[in-house]
Structures are given as C-alpha cells and as structure tokens.
Amino acid sequence: EIQLQESGPGLVKPSQSLSLTCSVTGYTITSGYDWSWIRKFPGNKMEWMGYISYSGSTNYNPSLKSRISITRDTSKNQFFLQLNSVTTEDTATYYCAINYPGFSFAYWGQGTLVTVSS
Amino acid sequence: DTVLTQSPALAVSPGERVTISCRASESVSTLMHWYQQKPGQQPTLLIYLASNLESGVPARFSGSGSGTDFTLTIDPVEADDTATYYCQQSWNDPWTFGGGTKLELK
C-alpha cells in the first residue's frame, strides 16, 4: 500500500523559508504519477500548491510561483517542498499526496502543522 | 482560478438521504472529486471523476454531475458520516478546492 509521511519543522519565523519532506513507501516516485503538496489553512480553506511529476517536471500554483520549489531525491524516494519568504498567512497544515486516480488525491500523508511566528 | 462553491453546513438525521452540492465558476468537464475529512485526520477520497466510487468506500456514497454542477449523495446517512466534505477540480489550472460542507447529524 502506498504511504506518505510529511516531516519538517513545526515553527518557522517570518521571512524565512519553510522546508518539508515527504517520504513515500509502497511505490517508487519515478514509476508514475505526479506528487503534490496541498495545504489547509485555519478556517478550512484548502489550496493545491504544486506537484513534481514522475519525470521530474514541476507545476506550481501561480499564486505561489515566485516563492515555491518542489524537488526530489529519487535515491531516498522522497520529495520536498520549499516555500520562501513566509508570512503568518502561510500558517497551515501541509499535506503531501499522490495525483491518482484521474488527478484526484487518493493517498495523503497525515499532515504536518507549520506555524509561522516570531 | 476556478471557484468551487459549497453550502457551508447541513444537518440531517441518520437514515435520511443527503445531497451536497458543488458549483464551479466555469466548466470542469467531469474532473471533479469528493473528499471526506474528519477532525485531526487527512482527507479521504470518496468519488473521483465525478461519479467513480473509490475502492473501499461504501456504496452509500455516490456522485453525479458534469460541467459546472456536481452532487455528492449519501444514502442512507450514518452517524459516522459526520465530517466536512470537499469538492476539488483538476480540469483547470490551478486545481482548486471548494470551501467544504460540514455535515452534522441530528
């Protein structure tokens, strides 16, 4: 079974960078599909942030395009999120997920809360 | 961006039939998906591509619609269905989510 697990700091200072790791088991991220980051803000709004494909190409939400980078380490079967110049408005629970089936999200990590605060 | 509009909340009694709607600001063809999320948990996929039941999801859940109007139906509703339900489209870039419908049982 495919499993995803997010990890990273739970507290980030304003203007710094947020960095998260998604570790995948049960499937090799270079075998197929796209691998996304999604966040849920306090108050329940959800935002798709972007994905990295099995081939390594990326697609980002234009609202984040100047601040976001999604990369991967194929040797560790992990992909990463970096979000630069964070503000308190980036406080959210961050999820990684697989784009499957039909560009839905059938498998999610359990989520990690990131708070942006000084 | 494609805006997905959902009613904020619904209250139904166990055993009843409930429909949760999602209206898109522009056509999303049939690339509409539905999720259930309970507090403290990650979302769970219920329906993909408008009407396809995800494996392991009870047949009480069904989806319909195309273009701009979509519906998630639960029939009959059970106590365990208390949750927030989200629609999500993947036809137009960027992919977007609805604001969620909180389902409460009377």
Side-chain angles (χ1 to χ4, degrees):
Chain A
E1 182 184 358
I2 299 172
Q3 293 187 326
L4 301 92
Q5 173 85 49
E6 305 89 351
S7 59
L11 181 64
V12 180
K13 288 181 166 36
S15 80
Q16 294 188 344
S17 293
L18 178 162
S19 296
L20 296 175
T21 298
C22 182
S23 300
V24 180
T25 57
Y27 194 85
T28 302
I29 63 173
T30 56
S31 294
Y33 306 120
D34 304 326
W35 304 85
S36 277
W37 287 97
I38 298 157
R39 60 183 178 177
K40 182 178 179 182
F41 299 99
N44 288 343
K45 178 186 173 184
M46 294 189 71
E47 179 180 60
W48 168 75
M49 302 178 71
Y51 68 70
I52 186 165
S53 75
Y54 69 95
S55 64
S57 63
T58 55
N59 183 26
Y60 300 136
N61 190 320
S63 70
L64 300 167
K65 214 155 197 173
S66 62
R67 298 197 293 137
I68 190 174
S69 177
I70 299 176
T71 57
R72 64 182 183 173
D73 184 335
T74 58
S75 68
K76 295 182 178 178
N77 213 39
Q78 294 175 328
F79 63 106
F80 311 103
L81 170 70
Q82 181 171 319
L83 187 65
N84 299 323
S85 305
V86 299
T87 71
T88 56
E89 296 189 350
D90 294 308
T91 293
T93 297
Y94 288 76
Y95 297 95
C96 56
I98 181 175
N99 299 5
Y100 168 84
F103 301 106
S104 67
F105 303 108
Y107 298 94
W108 299 64
Q110 87 285 358
T112 187
L113 174 63
V114 179
T115 301
V116 180
S117 175
S118 55
Chain B
D1 296 2
T2 302
V3 176
L4 302 181
T5 302
Q6 298 182 244
S7 298
L10 287 172
V12 298
S13 299
E16 291 185 344
R17 178 177 184 268
V18 65
T19 58
I20 298 172
S21 65
C22 178
R23 174 162 288 178
S25 61
E26 58 187 322
S27 177
V28 300
S29 185
T30 57
L31 269 72
M32 182 66 79
H33 322 291
W34 291 94
Y35 303 85
Q36 177 192 71
Q37 188 173 31
K38 298 181 179 180
Q41 297 183 16
Q42 68 269 50
T44 301
L45 178 65
L46 300 172
I47 301 289
Y48 63 96
L49 298 175
S51 60
N52 294 274
L53 189 68
E54 171 65 354
S55 176
V57 174
R60 303 183 291 105
F61 293 88
S62 63
S64 64
S66 65
T68 60
D69 289 296
F70 298 84
T71 299
L72 172 70
T73 300
I74 312 172
D75 186 14
V77 171
E78 297 182 357
D80 188 53
D81 298 334
T82 298
T84 300
Y85 293 84
Y86 294 92
C87 55
Q88 175 248 325
Q89 67 83 21
S90 54
W91 178 252
N92 299 311
D93 201 11
W95 302 341
T96 52
F97 289 84
T101 298
K102 188 173 184 178
L103 180 65
E104 296 180 343
L105 268 65
K106 298 176 184 175

